[in-house]
Amino acid sequence: MKTTDIERTRMDQDDAKLLAAYRAGDSEALGVLVEKYKRPLFGFILRFSEGREDADEVFQEVWVRAIKNMNRYRQKSLLSWLFRIAHNLMIDRVRRRKFVISLDTPVSEDGMSLGEQLAGTGLGPDSETGGRELGLRIEAAAARLPLEQREVFWLRMQADLSFKEIAKIQKCSINTALARMQYAVSKLRKELADEYRELQEAGI
Amino acid sequence: MKKKKLEKWLLLEASGELSLRQLHRLGRELAASEEARILRQELGRLRGSILLPEVEPSPWTVARIAARLREERRPAFLFSNAWKPALALAACLMVAVGIFNFHGNPAFSSVAVAASGVDVWNDPLERDLSRLESQIAAISSDSLDIVGM
């Protein structure tokens, strides 16, 4: 889901209303909110978890914590607040388990890998032709990035958060978040040099 | 403009975080340098090639979240800070009532009643104890006699 700043501001007002409605006892409001942000949030969580069931649990935990700590919600964007909670949960889990997942790891009963699951149905607008292969290569190369760089990369590229928002989530300066992104992009550029050349020659 | 700075600005341009002045400067840079244009194109291609996951959480997710929130709300309310002033007030009232009773009419004071109750209870006990002591003394003097023989 990619939104412009104007859309995001408008949505923020809606979010505030929905949160207030949920607090006042309207249980439907929670469903609307979850529905609205499920794709970017779940996609992000899935990249850092052990598979769909695990991602489901983390997703639920993020929402429970968000609603419980609603009085601390001072950010402009609810999505960025949700990502912040997801980030904290993820850091806790990584510290506890030192868990590193490969995109080749089977994560479902039918033996599908995380890479296949993530790539399964959706493609970016420019990747419908030769770009799909490149997309998979990006997934694989990004999975090898250090955690903080990987997180900045996906928060920016997939969730469309600004560097200011990413810096808040990672509790660092904007310059640090930018530097992490630069490292990530330069590593990907090196790893994907051949694919880029091919695509450039093909004019894609 | 150095490559690192250019990269940073291109990233900030894509996220809409460049000021108008910076945007003008970047525009001039892009017009003048082919390397800058290639770098911008590369970033755009990288972004365009990202696979957008369409996987979704389980359909029961909302119900589960709502159930968990309901479960957690109850105990949270019982132990919440909202009860603290009420508990403090109740404790103060109990202390105040206790002090009032203690300084009030001794005839109706619960402390006095309790004290008199203890005296009544103690009387027969003391009698029993003194009887027991005398019996022990008698037994011990008998046993001393036996040892002496």
Side-chain angles (χ1 to χ4, degrees), chain A residues 22 38-39 46 52 56 60-61 68 119 121-124 134-135 156 160 163-164 182 189 196 204, chain B residues 4 7 14-15 17 39 42 45-47 49-52 54-58 64 68-69 72:
Chain A
Y22 177 71
K38 67 181 179 186
R39 283 229 176 130
L46 190 58
R52 286 195 75 152
D56 254 333
Q60 284 170 38
E61 185 64 31
K68 269 170 69 182
T121 44
L123 290 174
L134 178 62
R156 179 70 209 106
D160 202 29
F163 285 102
K164 194 178 171 187
Q182 279 181 290
R189 192 183 292 128
Y196 269 117
I204 295 169
Chain B
K4 282 269 168 199
E7 238 178 33
S15 63
E17 292 172 280
L39 203 59
E42 262 184 22
R45 192 166 292 133
L46 182 69
R47 201 177 164 77
S49 306
I50 297 291
L51 302 173
L52 301 175
E54 285 193 2
V55 278
E56 290 186 358
S58 120
R64 283 181 193 149
R68 274 192 61 188
L69 284 168
E72 293 192 18

mmCIF file of all heavy atoms in Angstrom, chain A residues 22 38-39 46 52 56 60-61 68 119 121-124 134-135 156 160 163-164 182 189 196 204, chain B residues 4 7 14-15 17 39 42 45-47 49-52 54-58 64 68-69 72:
data_model
loop_
_atom_site.group_PDB
_atom_site.id
_atom_site.type_symbol
_atom_site.label_atom_id
_atom_site.label_comp_id
_atom_site.label_asym_id
_atom_site.label_seq_id
_atom_site.Cartn_x
_atom_site.Cartn_y
_atom_site.Cartn_z
ATOM 1 N N TYR A 22 -13.979 2.734 18.823
ATOM 2 C CA TYR A 22 -13.699 1.438 19.460
ATOM 3 C C TYR A 22 -13.688 1.582 20.979
ATOM 4 O O TYR A 22 -14.233 0.756 21.705
ATOM 5 C CB TYR A 22 -12.367 0.869 18.963
ATOM 6 C CG TYR A 22 -12.028 -0.424 19.652
ATOM 7 C CD1 TYR A 22 -12.751 -1.581 19.370
ATOM 8 C CD2 TYR A 22 -11.041 -0.482 20.627
ATOM 9 C CE1 TYR A 22 -12.481 -2.759 20.037
ATOM 10 C CE2 TYR A 22 -10.774 -1.658 21.292
ATOM 11 C CZ TYR A 22 -11.487 -2.802 20.989
ATOM 12 O OH TYR A 22 -11.230 -3.963 21.660
ATOM 13 N N LYS A 38 -3.739 -4.061 7.305
ATOM 14 C CA LYS A 38 -3.253 -5.436 7.428
ATOM 15 C C LYS A 38 -2.154 -5.782 6.418
ATOM 16 O O LYS A 38 -1.185 -6.454 6.763
ATOM 17 C CB LYS A 38 -4.394 -6.441 7.355
ATOM 18 C CG LYS A 38 -5.091 -6.525 6.030
ATOM 19 C CD LYS A 38 -6.213 -7.541 6.079
ATOM 20 C CE LYS A 38 -6.916 -7.587 4.742
ATOM 21 N NZ LYS A 38 -8.089 -8.451 4.783
ATOM 22 N N ARG A 39 -2.270 -5.296 5.190
ATOM 23 C CA ARG A 39 -1.303 -5.697 4.153
ATOM 24 C C ARG A 39 0.120 -5.212 4.433
ATOM 25 O O ARG A 39 1.025 -6.021 4.488
ATOM 26 C CB ARG A 39 -1.777 -5.227 2.789
ATOM 27 C CG ARG A 39 -2.863 -6.103 2.266
ATOM 28 C CD ARG A 39 -2.573 -6.522 0.847
ATOM 29 N NE ARG A 39 -3.585 -7.444 0.409
ATOM 30 C CZ ARG A 39 -4.260 -7.337 -0.723
ATOM 31 N NH1 ARG A 39 -4.001 -6.353 -1.540
ATOM 32 N NH2 ARG A 39 -5.159 -8.218 -1.038
ATOM 33 N N LEU A 46 5.797 -10.574 8.375
ATOM 34 C CA LEU A 46 6.096 -11.883 7.780
ATOM 35 C C LEU A 46 7.562 -11.987 7.361
ATOM 36 O O LEU A 46 8.172 -13.048 7.463
ATOM 37 C CB LEU A 46 5.167 -12.117 6.583
ATOM 38 C CG LEU A 46 5.155 -13.520 5.976
ATOM 39 C CD1 LEU A 46 4.773 -14.566 7.010
ATOM 40 C CD2 LEU A 46 4.184 -13.591 4.812
ATOM 41 N N ARG A 52 3.820 -18.033 8.558
ATOM 42 C CA ARG A 52 2.514 -17.375 8.650
ATOM 43 C C ARG A 52 1.903 -17.422 10.040
ATOM 44 O O ARG A 52 1.376 -16.437 10.527
ATOM 45 C CB ARG A 52 1.548 -17.992 7.642
ATOM 46 C CG ARG A 52 1.863 -17.551 6.242
ATOM 47 C CD ARG A 52 0.731 -17.846 5.339
ATOM 48 N NE ARG A 52 -0.359 -16.909 5.563
ATOM 49 C CZ ARG A 52 -1.223 -16.554 4.635
ATOM 50 N NH1 ARG A 52 -1.149 -17.058 3.440
ATOM 51 N NH2 ARG A 52 -2.191 -15.708 4.896
ATOM 52 N N ASP A 56 1.130 -14.318 12.246
ATOM 53 C CA ASP A 56 -0.224 -14.074 12.736
ATOM 54 C C ASP A 56 -0.220 -13.681 14.217
ATOM 55 O O ASP A 56 -0.898 -12.741 14.627
ATOM 56 C CB ASP A 56 -1.069 -15.342 12.574
ATOM 57 C CG ASP A 56 -2.060 -15.212 11.423
ATOM 58 O OD1 ASP A 56 -2.444 -14.082 11.107
ATOM 59 O OD2 ASP A 56 -2.419 -16.246 10.831
ATOM 60 N N GLN A 60 -1.245 -10.065 15.797
ATOM 61 C CA GLN A 60 -2.263 -9.881 16.844
ATOM 62 C C GLN A 60 -1.679 -9.118 18.030
ATOM 63 O O GLN A 60 -2.297 -8.209 18.575
ATOM 64 C CB GLN A 60 -2.761 -11.237 17.328
ATOM 65 C CG GLN A 60 -3.718 -11.896 16.368
ATOM 66 C CD GLN A 60 -3.983 -13.336 16.767
ATOM 67 O OE1 GLN A 60 -4.078 -13.669 17.940
ATOM 68 N NE2 GLN A 60 -4.080 -14.207 15.781
ATOM 69 N N GLU A 61 -0.464 -9.525 18.415
ATOM 70 C CA GLU A 61 0.192 -8.896 19.567
ATOM 71 C C GLU A 61 0.395 -7.398 19.317
ATOM 72 O O GLU A 61 0.214 -6.587 20.227
ATOM 73 C CB GLU A 61 1.535 -9.594 19.811
ATOM 74 C CG GLU A 61 2.288 -9.137 21.048
ATOM 75 C CD GLU A 61 1.574 -9.430 22.349
ATOM 76 O OE1 GLU A 61 0.850 -10.443 22.408
ATOM 77 O OE2 GLU A 61 1.726 -8.627 23.297
ATOM 78 N N LYS A 68 -4.026 -1.285 23.722
ATOM 79 C CA LYS A 68 -3.835 -1.142 25.167
ATOM 80 C C LYS A 68 -3.100 0.148 25.514
ATOM 81 O O LYS A 68 -3.337 0.752 26.542
ATOM 82 C CB LYS A 68 -3.043 -2.334 25.716
ATOM 83 C CG LYS A 68 -3.950 -3.479 26.166
ATOM 84 C CD LYS A 68 -3.166 -4.718 26.464
ATOM 85 C CE LYS A 68 -2.326 -4.578 27.693
ATOM 86 N NZ LYS A 68 -1.524 -5.797 27.932
ATOM 87 N N ALA A 119 6.344 -13.747 -2.595
ATOM 88 C CA ALA A 119 6.287 -13.387 -4.007
ATOM 89 C C ALA A 119 5.068 -13.978 -4.692
ATOM 90 O O ALA A 119 4.795 -13.656 -5.838
ATOM 91 C CB ALA A 119 7.538 -13.896 -4.694
ATOM 92 N N THR A 121 1.725 -13.874 -4.948
ATOM 93 C CA THR A 121 0.589 -13.335 -5.691
ATOM 94 C C THR A 121 0.772 -11.906 -6.172
ATOM 95 O O THR A 121 0.192 -11.524 -7.175
ATOM 96 C CB THR A 121 -0.661 -13.379 -4.818
ATOM 97 O OG1 THR A 121 -0.294 -12.927 -3.515
ATOM 98 C CG2 THR A 121 -1.235 -14.758 -4.737
ATOM 99 N N GLY A 122 1.538 -11.137 -5.455
ATOM 100 C CA GLY A 122 1.566 -9.722 -5.802
ATOM 101 C C GLY A 122 2.880 -9.269 -6.406
ATOM 102 O O GLY A 122 3.945 -9.642 -5.967
ATOM 103 N N LEU A 123 2.808 -8.436 -7.399
ATOM 104 C CA LEU A 123 3.997 -7.887 -8.023
ATOM 105 C C LEU A 123 3.857 -6.384 -8.083
ATOM 106 O O LEU A 123 2.762 -5.846 -8.193
ATOM 107 C CB LEU A 123 4.144 -8.411 -9.454
ATOM 108 C CG LEU A 123 4.495 -9.883 -9.634
ATOM 109 C CD1 LEU A 123 4.452 -10.213 -11.115
ATOM 110 C CD2 LEU A 123 5.862 -10.196 -9.086
ATOM 111 N N GLY A 124 5.002 -5.703 -8.019
ATOM 112 C CA GLY A 124 4.998 -4.265 -8.183
ATOM 113 C C GLY A 124 4.602 -3.934 -9.617
ATOM 114 O O GLY A 124 4.683 -4.801 -10.490
ATOM 115 N N LEU A 134 13.830 -10.423 -11.004
ATOM 116 C CA LEU A 134 14.601 -9.422 -10.280
ATOM 117 C C LEU A 134 14.003 -9.217 -8.885
ATOM 118 O O LEU A 134 14.731 -9.111 -7.902
ATOM 119 C CB LEU A 134 14.616 -8.099 -11.061
ATOM 120 C CG LEU A 134 15.355 -6.941 -10.404
ATOM 121 C CD1 LEU A 134 16.832 -7.261 -10.221
ATOM 122 C CD2 LEU A 134 15.205 -5.662 -11.209
ATOM 123 N N GLY A 135 12.684 -9.199 -8.825
ATOM 124 C CA GLY A 135 12.004 -9.054 -7.539
ATOM 125 C C GLY A 135 12.404 -10.151 -6.571
ATOM 126 O O GLY A 135 12.686 -9.893 -5.399
ATOM 127 N N ARG A 156 10.949 1.477 4.128
ATOM 128 C CA ARG A 156 10.929 2.521 3.100
ATOM 129 C C ARG A 156 10.311 2.003 1.797
ATOM 130 O O ARG A 156 9.450 2.642 1.211
ATOM 131 C CB ARG A 156 12.386 2.998 2.872
ATOM 132 C CG ARG A 156 12.566 4.055 1.843
ATOM 133 C CD ARG A 156 12.017 5.399 2.280
ATOM 134 N NE ARG A 156 11.581 6.153 1.096
ATOM 135 C CZ ARG A 156 10.311 6.353 0.755
ATOM 136 N NH1 ARG A 156 9.333 5.912 1.510
ATOM 137 N NH2 ARG A 156 10.012 7.008 -0.330
ATOM 138 N N ASP A 160 6.469 2.309 2.673
ATOM 139 C CA ASP A 160 6.453 3.697 2.211
ATOM 140 C C ASP A 160 6.523 4.713 3.352
ATOM 141 O O ASP A 160 5.916 5.782 3.273
ATOM 142 C CB ASP A 160 5.213 3.945 1.334
ATOM 143 C CG ASP A 160 5.416 5.136 0.413
ATOM 144 O OD1 ASP A 160 6.570 5.405 0.041
ATOM 145 O OD2 ASP A 160 4.429 5.816 0.090
ATOM 146 N N PHE A 163 11.793 8.772 6.067
ATOM 147 C CA PHE A 163 12.972 8.510 6.906
ATOM 148 C C PHE A 163 12.780 9.064 8.314
ATOM 149 O O PHE A 163 13.326 8.531 9.274
ATOM 150 C CB PHE A 163 14.230 9.082 6.244
ATOM 151 C CG PHE A 163 14.690 8.238 5.093
ATOM 152 C CD1 PHE A 163 14.428 8.606 3.784
ATOM 153 C CD2 PHE A 163 15.346 7.032 5.316
ATOM 154 C CE1 PHE A 163 14.820 7.813 2.715
ATOM 155 C CE2 PHE A 163 15.739 6.226 4.251
ATOM 156 C CZ PHE A 163 15.472 6.619 2.952
ATOM 157 N N LYS A 164 11.986 10.112 8.404
ATOM 158 C CA LYS A 164 11.686 10.676 9.726
ATOM 159 C C LYS A 164 10.930 9.636 10.575
ATOM 160 O O LYS A 164 11.234 9.433 11.744
ATOM 161 C CB LYS A 164 10.842 11.950 9.546
ATOM 162 C CG LYS A 164 10.754 12.803 10.772
ATOM 163 C CD LYS A 164 9.950 14.049 10.475
ATOM 164 C CE LYS A 164 9.673 14.807 11.754
ATOM 165 N NZ LYS A 164 8.756 15.931 11.527
ATOM 166 N N GLN A 182 21.392 3.651 2.624
ATOM 167 C CA GLN A 182 22.444 3.752 1.605
ATOM 168 C C GLN A 182 23.295 2.481 1.556
ATOM 169 O O GLN A 182 23.617 1.988 0.486
ATOM 170 C CB GLN A 182 23.333 4.968 1.885
ATOM 171 C CG GLN A 182 22.726 6.260 1.382
ATOM 172 C CD GLN A 182 23.624 7.447 1.637
ATOM 173 O OE1 GLN A 182 23.798 7.861 2.778
ATOM 174 N NE2 GLN A 182 24.202 8.009 0.588
ATOM 175 N N ARG A 189 22.903 -3.259 -4.924
ATOM 176 C CA ARG A 189 23.385 -2.886 -6.261
ATOM 177 C C ARG A 189 24.528 -3.809 -6.687
ATOM 178 O O ARG A 189 24.601 -4.248 -7.824
ATOM 179 C CB ARG A 189 23.850 -1.434 -6.252
ATOM 180 C CG ARG A 189 24.088 -0.884 -7.656
ATOM 181 C CD ARG A 189 24.611 0.532 -7.636
ATOM 182 N NE ARG A 189 23.626 1.467 -7.158
ATOM 183 C CZ ARG A 189 23.848 2.339 -6.182
ATOM 184 N NH1 ARG A 189 25.006 2.377 -5.562
ATOM 185 N NH2 ARG A 189 22.908 3.178 -5.824
ATOM 186 N N TYR A 196 20.661 -5.943 -13.262
ATOM 187 C CA TYR A 196 20.425 -4.563 -13.659
ATOM 188 C C TYR A 196 20.906 -4.316 -15.079
ATOM 189 O O TYR A 196 20.242 -3.682 -15.880
ATOM 190 C CB TYR A 196 21.131 -3.597 -12.696
ATOM 191 C CG TYR A 196 20.250 -3.192 -11.558
ATOM 192 C CD1 TYR A 196 20.568 -3.520 -10.247
ATOM 193 C CD2 TYR A 196 19.089 -2.471 -11.798
ATOM 194 C CE1 TYR A 196 19.754 -3.156 -9.201
ATOM 195 C CE2 TYR A 196 18.262 -2.092 -10.756
ATOM 196 C CZ TYR A 196 18.600 -2.441 -9.453
ATOM 197 O OH TYR A 196 17.784 -2.078 -8.421
ATOM 198 N N ILE A 204 14.045 -2.363 -19.862
ATOM 199 C CA ILE A 204 12.943 -2.499 -18.896
ATOM 200 C C ILE A 204 13.155 -1.508 -17.755
ATOM 201 O O ILE A 204 14.214 -1.394 -17.220
ATOM 202 C CB ILE A 204 12.860 -3.954 -18.367
ATOM 203 C CG1 ILE A 204 12.483 -4.868 -19.515
ATOM 204 C CG2 ILE A 204 11.821 -4.081 -17.260
ATOM 205 C CD1 ILE A 204 12.615 -6.333 -19.236
ATOM 206 N N LYS B 4 27.820 10.275 -2.427
ATOM 207 C CA LYS B 4 27.104 9.906 -1.184
ATOM 208 C C LYS B 4 25.961 10.883 -0.906
ATOM 209 O O LYS B 4 24.853 10.479 -0.567
ATOM 210 C CB LYS B 4 28.068 9.895 0.010
ATOM 211 C CG LYS B 4 28.942 8.672 0.088
ATOM 212 C CD LYS B 4 28.272 7.612 0.921
ATOM 213 C CE LYS B 4 29.020 6.282 0.760
ATOM 214 N NZ LYS B 4 28.226 5.144 1.152
ATOM 215 N N GLU B 7 23.197 10.485 -3.436
ATOM 216 C CA GLU B 7 22.369 9.301 -3.108
ATOM 217 C C GLU B 7 21.378 9.634 -1.991
ATOM 218 O O GLU B 7 20.202 9.298 -2.066
ATOM 219 C CB GLU B 7 23.290 8.189 -2.630
ATOM 220 C CG GLU B 7 23.181 6.931 -3.458
ATOM 221 C CD GLU B 7 24.158 5.873 -2.965
ATOM 222 O OE1 GLU B 7 24.423 5.810 -1.749
ATOM 223 O OE2 GLU B 7 24.646 5.131 -3.814
ATOM 224 N N ALA B 14 12.681 10.786 -3.013
ATOM 225 C CA ALA B 14 11.665 9.742 -3.196
ATOM 226 C C ALA B 14 10.694 9.678 -2.022
ATOM 227 O O ALA B 14 9.524 9.330 -2.193
ATOM 228 C CB ALA B 14 12.345 8.391 -3.388
ATOM 229 N N SER B 15 11.188 10.014 -0.812
ATOM 230 C CA SER B 15 10.291 9.951 0.351
ATOM 231 C C SER B 15 9.594 11.282 0.595
ATOM 232 O O SER B 15 8.870 11.437 1.586
ATOM 233 C CB SER B 15 11.071 9.521 1.604
ATOM 234 O OG SER B 15 12.043 10.480 1.921
ATOM 235 N N GLU B 17 10.968 14.201 1.336
ATOM 236 C CA GLU B 17 11.494 14.904 2.513
ATOM 237 C C GLU B 17 12.552 15.957 2.156
ATOM 238 O O GLU B 17 13.326 16.352 3.016
ATOM 239 C CB GLU B 17 12.080 13.888 3.499
ATOM 240 C CG GLU B 17 11.012 13.011 4.136
ATOM 241 C CD GLU B 17 11.590 11.874 4.969
ATOM 242 O OE1 GLU B 17 11.986 10.852 4.375
ATOM 243 O OE2 GLU B 17 11.641 12.004 6.187
ATOM 244 N N LEU B 39 21.890 7.040 -11.467
ATOM 245 C CA LEU B 39 21.679 6.659 -10.062
ATOM 246 C C LEU B 39 20.191 6.757 -9.696
ATOM 247 O O LEU B 39 19.629 5.874 -9.037
ATOM 248 C CB LEU B 39 22.501 7.594 -9.175
ATOM 249 C CG LEU B 39 22.868 7.097 -7.781
ATOM 250 C CD1 LEU B 39 23.678 5.813 -7.856
ATOM 251 C CD2 LEU B 39 23.662 8.155 -7.025
ATOM 252 N N GLU B 42 18.298 3.954 -11.334
ATOM 253 C CA GLU B 42 18.554 2.681 -10.632
ATOM 254 C C GLU B 42 17.685 2.552 -9.385
ATOM 255 O O GLU B 42 17.091 1.507 -9.134
ATOM 256 C CB GLU B 42 20.022 2.620 -10.211
ATOM 257 C CG GLU B 42 20.887 1.829 -11.159
ATOM 258 C CD GLU B 42 22.307 1.725 -10.637
ATOM 259 O OE1 GLU B 42 22.516 1.881 -9.426
ATOM 260 O OE2 GLU B 42 23.192 1.497 -11.463
ATOM 261 N N ARG B 45 14.207 1.875 -10.383
ATOM 262 C CA ARG B 45 14.026 0.501 -10.864
ATOM 263 C C ARG B 45 13.969 -0.473 -9.679
ATOM 264 O O ARG B 45 13.168 -1.403 -9.673
ATOM 265 C CB ARG B 45 15.168 0.131 -11.805
ATOM 266 C CG ARG B 45 14.907 -1.155 -12.555
ATOM 267 C CD ARG B 45 15.876 -1.312 -13.702
ATOM 268 N NE ARG B 45 15.658 -0.327 -14.747
ATOM 269 C CZ ARG B 45 16.635 0.394 -15.307
ATOM 270 N NH1 ARG B 45 17.869 0.252 -14.899
ATOM 271 N NH2 ARG B 45 16.353 1.246 -16.258
ATOM 272 N N LEU B 46 14.827 -0.214 -8.708
ATOM 273 C CA LEU B 46 14.844 -1.064 -7.509
ATOM 274 C C LEU B 46 13.480 -1.015 -6.823
ATOM 275 O O LEU B 46 12.892 -2.035 -6.468
ATOM 276 C CB LEU B 46 15.941 -0.579 -6.551
ATOM 277 C CG LEU B 46 16.132 -1.370 -5.264
ATOM 278 C CD1 LEU B 46 16.713 -2.744 -5.561
ATOM 279 C CD2 LEU B 46 17.061 -0.633 -4.310
ATOM 280 N N ARG B 47 12.979 0.185 -6.704
ATOM 281 C CA ARG B 47 11.671 0.378 -6.070
ATOM 282 C C ARG B 47 10.561 -0.286 -6.869
ATOM 283 O O ARG B 47 9.668 -0.933 -6.329
ATOM 284 C CB ARG B 47 11.415 1.878 -5.968
ATOM 285 C CG ARG B 47 10.409 2.260 -4.951
ATOM 286 C CD ARG B 47 10.300 3.777 -4.908
ATOM 287 N NE ARG B 47 9.087 4.122 -4.221
ATOM 288 C CZ ARG B 47 8.943 4.072 -2.908
ATOM 289 N NH1 ARG B 47 9.946 3.677 -2.162
ATOM 290 N NH2 ARG B 47 7.807 4.393 -2.342
ATOM 291 N N SER B 49 10.798 -2.819 -8.758
ATOM 292 C CA SER B 49 10.927 -4.278 -8.848
ATOM 293 C C SER B 49 10.545 -4.991 -7.555
ATOM 294 O O SER B 49 10.555 -6.216 -7.497
ATOM 295 C CB SER B 49 12.376 -4.643 -9.193
ATOM 296 O OG SER B 49 12.781 -3.961 -10.334
ATOM 297 N N ILE B 50 10.255 -4.217 -6.538
ATOM 298 C CA ILE B 50 9.904 -4.831 -5.246
ATOM 299 C C ILE B 50 8.607 -5.627 -5.393
ATOM 300 O O ILE B 50 7.630 -5.148 -5.962
ATOM 301 C CB ILE B 50 9.711 -3.737 -4.162
ATOM 302 C CG1 ILE B 50 11.005 -2.970 -3.916
ATOM 303 C CG2 ILE B 50 9.146 -4.314 -2.860
ATOM 304 C CD1 ILE B 50 12.100 -3.735 -3.261
ATOM 305 N N LEU B 51 8.616 -6.830 -4.862
ATOM 306 C CA LEU B 51 7.399 -7.650 -4.875
ATOM 307 C C LEU B 51 6.536 -7.242 -3.693
ATOM 308 O O LEU B 51 6.995 -7.239 -2.558
ATOM 309 C CB LEU B 51 7.761 -9.127 -4.754
ATOM 310 C CG LEU B 51 8.696 -9.681 -5.833
ATOM 311 C CD1 LEU B 51 9.101 -11.094 -5.496
ATOM 312 C CD2 LEU B 51 8.015 -9.647 -7.188
ATOM 313 N N LEU B 52 5.326 -6.872 -3.999
ATOM 314 C CA LEU B 52 4.438 -6.466 -2.907
ATOM 315 C C LEU B 52 3.686 -7.683 -2.384
ATOM 316 O O LEU B 52 2.929 -8.305 -3.132
ATOM 317 C CB LEU B 52 3.437 -5.403 -3.400
ATOM 318 C CG LEU B 52 4.046 -4.122 -3.970
ATOM 319 C CD1 LEU B 52 2.955 -3.228 -4.537
ATOM 320 C CD2 LEU B 52 4.847 -3.377 -2.924
ATOM 321 N N GLU B 54 1.037 -10.065 -1.006
ATOM 322 C CA GLU B 54 -0.425 -9.970 -0.887
ATOM 323 C C GLU B 54 -0.964 -10.959 0.125
ATOM 324 O O GLU B 54 -2.161 -11.203 0.184
ATOM 325 C CB GLU B 54 -1.063 -10.165 -2.258
ATOM 326 C CG GLU B 54 -0.875 -8.929 -3.122
ATOM 327 C CD GLU B 54 -1.733 -8.918 -4.362
ATOM 328 O OE1 GLU B 54 -2.517 -9.845 -4.549
ATOM 329 O OE2 GLU B 54 -1.601 -7.969 -5.139
ATOM 330 N N VAL B 55 -0.028 -11.553 0.868
ATOM 331 C CA VAL B 55 -0.468 -12.484 1.911
ATOM 332 C C VAL B 55 -1.157 -11.691 3.009
ATOM 333 O O VAL B 55 -0.794 -10.549 3.276
ATOM 334 C CB VAL B 55 0.721 -13.280 2.503
ATOM 335 C CG1 VAL B 55 1.073 -14.435 1.629
ATOM 336 C CG2 VAL B 55 1.915 -12.379 2.718
ATOM 337 N N GLU B 56 -2.137 -12.309 3.596
ATOM 338 C CA GLU B 56 -2.928 -11.615 4.613
ATOM 339 C C GLU B 56 -2.954 -12.414 5.900
ATOM 340 O O GLU B 56 -2.745 -13.634 5.874
ATOM 341 C CB GLU B 56 -4.361 -11.434 4.102
ATOM 342 C CG GLU B 56 -4.441 -10.436 2.981
ATOM 343 C CD GLU B 56 -5.870 -10.140 2.577
ATOM 344 O OE1 GLU B 56 -6.787 -10.754 3.155
ATOM 345 O OE2 GLU B 56 -6.058 -9.305 1.696
ATOM 346 N N PRO B 57 -3.222 -11.748 6.994
ATOM 347 C CA PRO B 57 -3.357 -12.510 8.243
ATOM 348 C C PRO B 57 -4.587 -13.416 8.189
ATOM 349 O O PRO B 57 -5.441 -13.257 7.322
ATOM 350 C CB PRO B 57 -3.509 -11.425 9.309
ATOM 351 C CG PRO B 57 -3.924 -10.202 8.584
ATOM 352 C CD PRO B 57 -3.385 -10.312 7.203
ATOM 353 N N SER B 58 -4.654 -14.341 9.137
ATOM 354 C CA SER B 58 -5.780 -15.289 9.154
ATOM 355 C C SER B 58 -7.116 -14.541 9.254
ATOM 356 O O SER B 58 -7.185 -13.469 9.851
ATOM 357 C CB SER B 58 -5.593 -16.248 10.335
ATOM 358 O OG SER B 58 -6.654 -16.164 11.213
ATOM 359 N N ARG B 64 -9.858 -12.673 17.188
ATOM 360 C CA ARG B 64 -8.876 -13.041 18.227
ATOM 361 C C ARG B 64 -8.350 -11.813 18.956
ATOM 362 O O ARG B 64 -8.203 -11.827 20.175
ATOM 363 C CB ARG B 64 -7.703 -13.805 17.597
ATOM 364 C CG ARG B 64 -8.061 -15.238 17.286
ATOM 365 C CD ARG B 64 -6.875 -15.947 16.700
ATOM 366 N NE ARG B 64 -7.253 -17.220 16.124
ATOM 367 C CZ ARG B 64 -6.668 -17.781 15.092
ATOM 368 N NH1 ARG B 64 -5.656 -17.181 14.507
ATOM 369 N NH2 ARG B 64 -7.061 -18.932 14.628
ATOM 370 N N ARG B 68 -8.832 -11.101 22.917
ATOM 371 C CA ARG B 68 -7.694 -10.850 23.814
ATOM 372 C C ARG B 68 -7.849 -9.526 24.537
ATOM 373 O O ARG B 68 -7.530 -9.406 25.722
ATOM 374 C CB ARG B 68 -6.391 -10.864 23.016
ATOM 375 C CG ARG B 68 -5.840 -12.269 22.862
ATOM 376 C CD ARG B 68 -4.446 -12.247 22.356
ATOM 377 N NE ARG B 68 -3.541 -11.540 23.265
ATOM 378 C CZ ARG B 68 -2.289 -11.250 22.964
ATOM 379 N NH1 ARG B 68 -1.790 -11.593 21.810
ATOM 380 N NH2 ARG B 68 -1.530 -10.620 23.834
ATOM 381 N N LEU B 69 -8.327 -8.533 23.821
ATOM 382 C CA LEU B 69 -8.508 -7.220 24.450
ATOM 383 C C LEU B 69 -9.579 -7.282 25.535
ATOM 384 O O LEU B 69 -9.437 -6.664 26.583
ATOM 385 C CB LEU B 69 -8.882 -6.177 23.394
ATOM 386 C CG LEU B 69 -7.717 -5.709 22.512
ATOM 387 C CD1 LEU B 69 -8.209 -4.917 21.314
ATOM 388 C CD2 LEU B 69 -6.738 -4.864 23.315
ATOM 389 N N GLU B 72 -8.062 -9.053 28.545
ATOM 390 C CA GLU B 72 -7.051 -8.265 29.258
ATOM 391 C C GLU B 72 -7.629 -7.017 29.908
ATOM 392 O O GLU B 72 -7.012 -6.459 30.793
ATOM 393 C CB GLU B 72 -5.914 -7.886 28.315
ATOM 394 C CG GLU B 72 -5.133 -9.111 27.885
ATOM 395 C CD GLU B 72 -3.833 -8.789 27.178
ATOM 396 O OE1 GLU B 72 -3.357 -7.659 27.308
ATOM 397 O OE2 GLU B 72 -3.325 -9.692 26.502
#
